Amino acid sequence: MPTMQTKCPHCQSNAVICDSRQLSDTCRQIKVRCSNLDCGFVGQATIAFDITLSPSAIPNPQVNLPLGLHAKRRQIIESMQQTA
């Protein structure tokens, strides 16, 4: 499995996600370590889902994410096709 990475906010080198903790169904707290030994940055960030681009086929009833614009359009078109 590939290692998750992002960019170091200081030196822009690759920064590896080395630990994470689930905060909720839609939010994780991650620890990130810069791969540039001269930089040495270690930081914490939060990853959160904020919109639904494509609805789940097995939705969790406790997760309520708003639909993105594309998903809203698709939902409207599908409902219009069902009523026609």
Side-chain angles (χ1 to χ4, degrees):
M1 180 181 209
T3 304
M4 298 290 292
Q5 295 184 14
T6 187
K7 294 288 182 190
C8 173
H10 297 284
C11 71
Q12 299 303 306
S13 295
N14 286 335
V16 177
I17 297 171
C18 55
D19 193 19
S20 72
R21 180 170 67 106
Q22 189 82 27
L23 299 178
S24 72
D25 288 331
T26 59
C27 188
R28 287 192 83 80
Q29 188 177 69
I30 60 172
K31 187 192 309 184
V32 180
R33 183 179 314 272
C34 181
S35 62
N36 179 349
L37 297 177
D38 292 330
C39 176
F41 174 76
V42 178
Q44 184 172 293
T46 304
I47 299 174
F49 292 96
D50 53 3
I51 64 169
T52 298
L53 299 177
S54 177
S56 172
I58 48 173
N60 178 345
Q62 295 178 348
V63 173
N64 185 19
L65 292 170
L67 290 176
L69 185 57
H70 181 74
K72 283 180 186 177
R73 284 184 188 149
R74 186 173 51 228
Q75 189 179 55
I76 290 167
I77 291 168
E78 288 172 358
S79 69
M80 288 172 60
Q81 290 172 343
Q82 290 173 358
T83 58

